[in-house]
Amino acid sequence: MTYCVAIKLNAGLVFLSDSRTNAGLDQISTFRKMIVYEKPGDRFMVLLSAGNLSISQSVREILQIEKLKDHEADEGITIWNARSMFDAARVLGSAIRRVQERDGAALHAAGVDFNVSLIFGGQIQGEGMRLFQVYSAGNFIEATPETPYFQVGESKYGKPVLDRVITTTTPLDEAAKCALVSMDSTLKSNLSVGLPLDMVVYEANQFQTDRVICIDENNPYFKMLHDNWGQKLREVFDSIEDPVWNGGATNVPLMIGSTRSLPLKKISTPQEKLI
């Protein structure tokens, strides 16, 4: 299992991934899930992967050389000459299908599903930033202002903070902090996600970035964030009044009737019916 998240903002893009893989409790390994494609001044792209490691590694390898031809006489579109991120995402989809054509039958015969989930985003000169989630069939969806982030892998623990914080107008550094909190929440609750982390922060229209960080257990900022997030959550939790059950004084009673539903029915004899 893994956890990867990517966020598209007006100000730029944030990418974050863990590096843990497992094939059972005694086969825990570290493999990076992120790769950066950069041609300064022309294009900047990042690929995040989750799912079957052998499939995702094959896709990444083929993507380097994959050519997508709409007509036989075409030169072919690659990620290096694509004129839009949409076309680059099409090339990625083609690379996935090529791996499926090559390995799908053998994997199926061995009882292994063709399982890969990818996030692909960046910017190509001449258009704005774009972010896609790409599926095992090679099809994809694009991030929108209403849904400005994608997750793959073990996503449920890190989703609530993203939903509460992230909008397209969120500042880039604040979004990077939010992504790290999302990852920390996942690390806390799921042992199949682990350090080190890879993070890339891209500023719009720069077509390159130096904000490429590997975060391990000794990183001072991540240690501070981990400690403070846990402490502040506890402080907020403690500041909320406990429910009052026995008619004590409170401005926020819990024991009141619902305006929409009847109370839960108790069953006290075998003869009583549920409905």
mmCIF file of all heavy atoms in Angstrom, residues 46-77:
data_model
loop_
_atom_site.group_PDB
_atom_site.id
_atom_site.type_symbol
_atom_site.label_atom_id
_atom_site.label_comp_id
_atom_site.label_asym_id
_atom_site.label_seq_id
_atom_site.Cartn_x
_atom_site.Cartn_y
_atom_site.Cartn_z
ATOM 1 N N VAL A 46 5.027 15.779 -13.166
ATOM 2 C CA VAL A 46 5.296 14.864 -12.054
ATOM 3 C C VAL A 46 4.330 13.694 -12.158
ATOM 4 O O VAL A 46 3.135 13.874 -12.430
ATOM 5 C CB VAL A 46 5.136 15.568 -10.695
ATOM 6 C CG1 VAL A 46 5.317 14.571 -9.553
ATOM 7 C CG2 VAL A 46 6.139 16.702 -10.558
ATOM 8 N N LEU A 47 4.854 12.494 -11.924
ATOM 9 C CA LEU A 47 4.049 11.275 -11.935
ATOM 10 C C LEU A 47 4.121 10.612 -10.564
ATOM 11 O O LEU A 47 5.218 10.388 -10.035
ATOM 12 C CB LEU A 47 4.562 10.313 -13.003
ATOM 13 C CG LEU A 47 3.854 8.957 -13.116
ATOM 14 C CD1 LEU A 47 2.413 9.143 -13.586
ATOM 15 C CD2 LEU A 47 4.610 8.034 -14.070
ATOM 16 N N LEU A 48 2.966 10.304 -9.979
ATOM 17 C CA LEU A 48 2.858 9.568 -8.719
ATOM 18 C C LEU A 48 2.170 8.242 -9.000
ATOM 19 O O LEU A 48 1.238 8.183 -9.814
ATOM 20 C CB LEU A 48 2.037 10.353 -7.695
ATOM 21 C CG LEU A 48 2.452 11.784 -7.386
ATOM 22 C CD1 LEU A 48 1.455 12.430 -6.432
ATOM 23 C CD2 LEU A 48 3.848 11.825 -6.795
ATOM 24 N N SER A 49 2.578 7.180 -8.322
ATOM 25 C CA SER A 49 2.022 5.862 -8.625
ATOM 26 C C SER A 49 1.668 5.100 -7.366
ATOM 27 O O SER A 49 2.333 5.204 -6.329
ATOM 28 C CB SER A 49 3.024 5.044 -9.456
ATOM 29 O OG SER A 49 4.233 4.854 -8.752
ATOM 30 N N ALA A 50 0.598 4.317 -7.464
ATOM 31 C CA ALA A 50 0.190 3.393 -6.410
ATOM 32 C C ALA A 50 -0.317 2.126 -7.081
ATOM 33 O O ALA A 50 -0.654 2.120 -8.263
ATOM 34 C CB ALA A 50 -0.898 4.011 -5.535
ATOM 35 N N GLY A 51 -0.393 1.051 -6.309
ATOM 36 C CA GLY A 51 -0.851 -0.221 -6.866
ATOM 37 C C GLY A 51 0.296 -1.205 -7.006
ATOM 38 O O GLY A 51 1.305 -1.116 -6.297
ATOM 39 N N ASN A 52 0.152 -2.128 -7.929
ATOM 40 C CA ASN A 52 1.163 -3.161 -8.147
ATOM 41 C C ASN A 52 2.492 -2.522 -8.573
ATOM 42 O O ASN A 52 2.550 -1.805 -9.571
ATOM 43 C CB ASN A 52 0.664 -4.137 -9.211
ATOM 44 C CG ASN A 52 1.587 -5.305 -9.423
ATOM 45 O OD1 ASN A 52 2.690 -5.143 -9.931
ATOM 46 N ND2 ASN A 52 1.141 -6.489 -9.035
ATOM 47 N N LEU A 53 3.537 -2.784 -7.811
ATOM 48 C CA LEU A 53 4.818 -2.125 -8.044
ATOM 49 C C LEU A 53 5.429 -2.513 -9.385
ATOM 50 O O LEU A 53 5.979 -1.663 -10.096
ATOM 51 C CB LEU A 53 5.791 -2.453 -6.909
ATOM 52 C CG LEU A 53 7.169 -1.801 -6.982
ATOM 53 C CD1 LEU A 53 7.064 -0.283 -6.920
ATOM 54 C CD2 LEU A 53 8.062 -2.323 -5.855
ATOM 55 N N SER A 54 5.339 -3.779 -9.769
ATOM 56 C CA SER A 54 5.942 -4.194 -11.042
ATOM 57 C C SER A 54 5.243 -3.512 -12.218
ATOM 58 O O SER A 54 5.885 -3.136 -13.205
ATOM 59 C CB SER A 54 5.862 -5.712 -11.196
ATOM 60 O OG SER A 54 4.523 -6.153 -11.346
ATOM 61 N N ILE A 55 3.924 -3.317 -12.108
ATOM 62 C CA ILE A 55 3.186 -2.641 -13.182
ATOM 63 C C ILE A 55 3.575 -1.174 -13.253
ATOM 64 O O ILE A 55 3.865 -0.640 -14.327
ATOM 65 C CB ILE A 55 1.669 -2.790 -12.965
ATOM 66 C CG1 ILE A 55 1.266 -4.260 -13.076
ATOM 67 C CG2 ILE A 55 0.906 -1.952 -13.985
ATOM 68 C CD1 ILE A 55 -0.178 -4.531 -12.690
ATOM 69 N N SER A 56 3.592 -0.503 -12.100
ATOM 70 C CA SER A 56 3.909 0.925 -12.110
ATOM 71 C C SER A 56 5.331 1.182 -12.578
ATOM 72 O O SER A 56 5.589 2.157 -13.302
ATOM 73 C CB SER A 56 3.680 1.534 -10.724
ATOM 74 O OG SER A 56 4.511 0.958 -9.750
ATOM 75 N N GLN A 57 6.280 0.311 -12.227
ATOM 76 C CA GLN A 57 7.649 0.482 -12.709
ATOM 77 C C GLN A 57 7.725 0.280 -14.219
ATOM 78 O O GLN A 57 8.449 1.011 -14.913
ATOM 79 C CB GLN A 57 8.594 -0.482 -11.988
ATOM 80 C CG GLN A 57 8.886 -0.079 -10.549
ATOM 81 C CD GLN A 57 9.984 -0.920 -9.931
ATOM 82 O OE1 GLN A 57 10.311 -2.003 -10.404
ATOM 83 N NE2 GLN A 57 10.567 -0.419 -8.848
ATOM 84 N N SER A 58 6.990 -0.686 -14.737
ATOM 85 C CA SER A 58 6.975 -0.908 -16.185
ATOM 86 C C SER A 58 6.371 0.287 -16.910
ATOM 87 O O SER A 58 6.868 0.717 -17.956
ATOM 88 C CB SER A 58 6.178 -2.171 -16.513
ATOM 89 O OG SER A 58 6.829 -3.326 -16.028
ATOM 90 N N VAL A 59 5.283 0.832 -16.365
ATOM 91 C CA VAL A 59 4.650 1.997 -16.978
ATOM 92 C C VAL A 59 5.612 3.167 -17.014
ATOM 93 O O VAL A 59 5.747 3.865 -18.032
ATOM 94 C CB VAL A 59 3.359 2.368 -16.225
ATOM 95 C CG1 VAL A 59 2.829 3.723 -16.698
ATOM 96 C CG2 VAL A 59 2.295 1.289 -16.422
ATOM 97 N N ARG A 60 6.309 3.407 -15.927
ATOM 98 C CA ARG A 60 7.256 4.520 -15.870
ATOM 99 C C ARG A 60 8.365 4.347 -16.890
ATOM 100 O O ARG A 60 8.806 5.315 -17.527
ATOM 101 C CB ARG A 60 7.825 4.632 -14.451
ATOM 102 C CG ARG A 60 6.856 5.214 -13.458
ATOM 103 C CD ARG A 60 7.247 4.982 -12.022
ATOM 104 N NE ARG A 60 8.603 5.384 -11.710
ATOM 105 C CZ ARG A 60 9.079 5.468 -10.469
ATOM 106 N NH1 ARG A 60 8.299 5.171 -9.438
ATOM 107 N NH2 ARG A 60 10.314 5.838 -10.241
ATOM 108 N N GLU A 61 8.844 3.115 -17.055
ATOM 109 C CA GLU A 61 9.918 2.860 -18.013
ATOM 110 C C GLU A 61 9.440 3.085 -19.448
ATOM 111 O O GLU A 61 10.114 3.740 -20.254
ATOM 112 C CB GLU A 61 10.418 1.419 -17.847
ATOM 113 C CG GLU A 61 11.648 1.077 -18.655
ATOM 114 C CD GLU A 61 12.917 1.727 -18.118
ATOM 115 O OE1 GLU A 61 12.934 2.119 -16.930
ATOM 116 O OE2 GLU A 61 13.892 1.844 -18.889
ATOM 117 N N ILE A 62 8.264 2.557 -19.763
ATOM 118 C CA ILE A 62 7.738 2.688 -21.125
ATOM 119 C C ILE A 62 7.358 4.124 -21.438
ATOM 120 O O ILE A 62 7.471 4.583 -22.589
ATOM 121 C CB ILE A 62 6.552 1.724 -21.313
ATOM 122 C CG1 ILE A 62 7.068 0.275 -21.358
ATOM 123 C CG2 ILE A 62 5.759 2.042 -22.575
ATOM 124 C CD1 ILE A 62 5.986 -0.765 -21.419
ATOM 125 N N LEU A 63 6.896 4.868 -20.419
ATOM 126 C CA LEU A 63 6.483 6.255 -20.634
ATOM 127 C C LEU A 63 7.612 7.101 -21.210
ATOM 128 O O LEU A 63 7.369 8.046 -21.967
ATOM 129 C CB LEU A 63 5.989 6.860 -19.318
ATOM 130 C CG LEU A 63 5.469 8.299 -19.371
ATOM 131 C CD1 LEU A 63 4.285 8.416 -20.329
ATOM 132 C CD2 LEU A 63 5.093 8.781 -17.978
ATOM 133 N N GLN A 64 8.855 6.779 -20.868
ATOM 134 C CA GLN A 64 9.999 7.540 -21.369
ATOM 135 C C GLN A 64 10.100 7.509 -22.899
ATOM 136 O O GLN A 64 10.593 8.456 -23.513
ATOM 137 C CB GLN A 64 11.290 6.966 -20.781
ATOM 138 C CG GLN A 64 11.429 7.127 -19.273
ATOM 139 C CD GLN A 64 12.061 8.460 -18.917
ATOM 140 O OE1 GLN A 64 11.572 9.517 -19.295
ATOM 141 N NE2 GLN A 64 13.162 8.423 -18.197
ATOM 142 N N ILE A 65 9.641 6.418 -23.494
ATOM 143 C CA ILE A 65 9.823 6.231 -24.940
ATOM 144 C C ILE A 65 8.511 6.058 -25.697
ATOM 145 O O ILE A 65 8.518 5.923 -26.917
ATOM 146 C CB ILE A 65 10.722 5.009 -25.214
ATOM 147 C CG1 ILE A 65 10.125 3.741 -24.605
ATOM 148 C CG2 ILE A 65 12.133 5.245 -24.667
ATOM 149 C CD1 ILE A 65 10.849 2.464 -24.980
ATOM 150 N N GLU A 66 7.382 6.044 -24.977
ATOM 151 C CA GLU A 66 6.092 5.781 -25.619
ATOM 152 C C GLU A 66 5.735 6.883 -26.619
ATOM 153 O O GLU A 66 5.867 8.079 -26.336
ATOM 154 C CB GLU A 66 4.999 5.671 -24.550
ATOM 155 C CG GLU A 66 3.609 5.417 -25.098
ATOM 156 C CD GLU A 66 3.429 4.030 -25.694
ATOM 157 O OE1 GLU A 66 4.375 3.211 -25.628
ATOM 158 O OE2 GLU A 66 2.351 3.757 -26.230
ATOM 159 N N LYS A 67 5.272 6.457 -27.798
ATOM 160 C CA LYS A 67 4.774 7.381 -28.817
ATOM 161 C C LYS A 67 3.326 7.046 -29.121
ATOM 162 O O LYS A 67 2.987 5.887 -29.369
ATOM 163 C CB LYS A 67 5.601 7.276 -30.109
ATOM 164 C CG LYS A 67 6.987 7.873 -30.013
ATOM 165 C CD LYS A 67 7.677 7.869 -31.376
ATOM 166 C CE LYS A 67 9.041 8.545 -31.301
ATOM 167 N NZ LYS A 67 9.695 8.601 -32.645
ATOM 168 N N LEU A 68 2.482 8.080 -29.088
ATOM 169 C CA LEU A 68 1.072 7.914 -29.377
ATOM 170 C C LEU A 68 0.797 8.456 -30.775
ATOM 171 O O LEU A 68 1.058 9.627 -31.052
ATOM 172 C CB LEU A 68 0.224 8.665 -28.341
ATOM 173 C CG LEU A 68 -1.291 8.625 -28.518
ATOM 174 C CD1 LEU A 68 -1.809 7.203 -28.390
ATOM 175 C CD2 LEU A 68 -1.968 9.547 -27.513
ATOM 176 N N LYS A 69 0.289 7.589 -31.655
ATOM 177 C CA LYS A 69 0.023 7.996 -33.037
ATOM 178 C C LYS A 69 -1.467 7.921 -33.320
ATOM 179 O O LYS A 69 -2.077 6.852 -33.206
ATOM 180 C CB LYS A 69 0.778 7.098 -34.022
ATOM 181 C CG LYS A 69 2.286 7.270 -33.971
ATOM 182 C CD LYS A 69 2.959 6.511 -35.107
ATOM 183 C CE LYS A 69 4.458 6.758 -35.121
ATOM 184 N NZ LYS A 69 5.115 6.110 -36.285
ATOM 185 N N ASP A 70 -2.064 9.070 -33.682
ATOM 186 C CA ASP A 70 -3.463 9.089 -34.081
ATOM 187 C C ASP A 70 -3.628 8.610 -35.520
ATOM 188 O O ASP A 70 -4.685 8.110 -35.897
ATOM 189 C CB ASP A 70 -4.041 10.493 -33.929
ATOM 190 C CG ASP A 70 -4.138 10.923 -32.467
ATOM 191 O OD1 ASP A 70 -4.420 10.049 -31.620
ATOM 192 O OD2 ASP A 70 -3.916 12.111 -32.171
ATOM 193 N N HIS A 71 -2.578 8.787 -36.326
ATOM 194 C CA HIS A 71 -2.560 8.304 -37.705
ATOM 195 C C HIS A 71 -1.199 7.686 -37.970
ATOM 196 O O HIS A 71 -0.189 8.070 -37.376
ATOM 197 C CB HIS A 71 -2.837 9.437 -38.696
ATOM 198 C CG HIS A 71 -4.123 10.167 -38.423
ATOM 199 N ND1 HIS A 71 -5.359 9.646 -38.727
ATOM 200 C CD2 HIS A 71 -4.346 11.386 -37.862
ATOM 201 C CE1 HIS A 71 -6.291 10.506 -38.369
ATOM 202 N NE2 HIS A 71 -5.714 11.573 -37.845
ATOM 203 N N GLU A 72 -1.136 6.733 -38.856
ATOM 204 C CA GLU A 72 0.103 5.996 -39.108
ATOM 205 C C GLU A 72 1.230 6.916 -39.548
ATOM 206 O O GLU A 72 2.403 6.670 -39.253
ATOM 207 C CB GLU A 72 -0.152 4.918 -40.169
ATOM 208 C CG GLU A 72 0.959 3.877 -40.250
ATOM 209 C CD GLU A 72 1.172 3.141 -38.936
ATOM 210 O OE1 GLU A 72 0.176 2.858 -38.245
ATOM 211 O OE2 GLU A 72 2.343 2.854 -38.612
ATOM 212 N N ALA A 73 0.885 7.989 -40.253
ATOM 213 C CA ALA A 73 1.922 8.883 -40.773
ATOM 214 C C ALA A 73 2.398 9.905 -39.736
ATOM 215 O O ALA A 73 3.336 10.657 -39.996
ATOM 216 C CB ALA A 73 1.386 9.628 -42.001
ATOM 217 N N ASP A 74 1.763 9.919 -38.583
ATOM 218 C CA ASP A 74 2.142 10.883 -37.549
ATOM 219 C C ASP A 74 3.557 10.646 -37.048
ATOM 220 O O ASP A 74 4.050 9.504 -37.021
ATOM 221 C CB ASP A 74 1.186 10.807 -36.357
ATOM 222 C CG ASP A 74 -0.183 11.383 -36.680
ATOM 223 O OD1 ASP A 74 -0.316 11.974 -37.758
ATOM 224 O OD2 ASP A 74 -1.092 11.240 -35.842
ATOM 225 N N GLU A 75 4.197 11.727 -36.631
ATOM 226 C CA GLU A 75 5.505 11.604 -35.964
ATOM 227 C C GLU A 75 5.363 10.881 -34.642
ATOM 228 O O GLU A 75 6.252 10.130 -34.227
ATOM 229 C CB GLU A 75 6.095 12.995 -35.750
ATOM 230 C CG GLU A 75 7.392 13.003 -34.943
ATOM 231 C CD GLU A 75 7.813 14.403 -34.547
ATOM 232 O OE1 GLU A 75 7.165 15.371 -34.980
ATOM 233 O OE2 GLU A 75 8.790 14.517 -33.776
ATOM 234 N N GLY A 76 4.250 11.089 -33.981
ATOM 235 C CA GLY A 76 4.008 10.455 -32.691
ATOM 236 C C GLY A 76 4.154 11.455 -31.547
ATOM 237 O O GLY A 76 5.087 12.261 -31.526
ATOM 238 N N ILE A 77 3.224 11.389 -30.614
ATOM 239 C CA ILE A 77 3.263 12.270 -29.445
ATOM 240 C C ILE A 77 3.960 11.549 -28.309
ATOM 241 O O ILE A 77 3.646 10.391 -27.993
ATOM 242 C CB ILE A 77 1.834 12.657 -29.018
ATOM 243 C CG1 ILE A 77 1.075 13.323 -30.158
ATOM 244 C CG2 ILE A 77 1.858 13.580 -27.801
ATOM 245 C CD1 ILE A 77 -0.409 13.510 -29.881
#
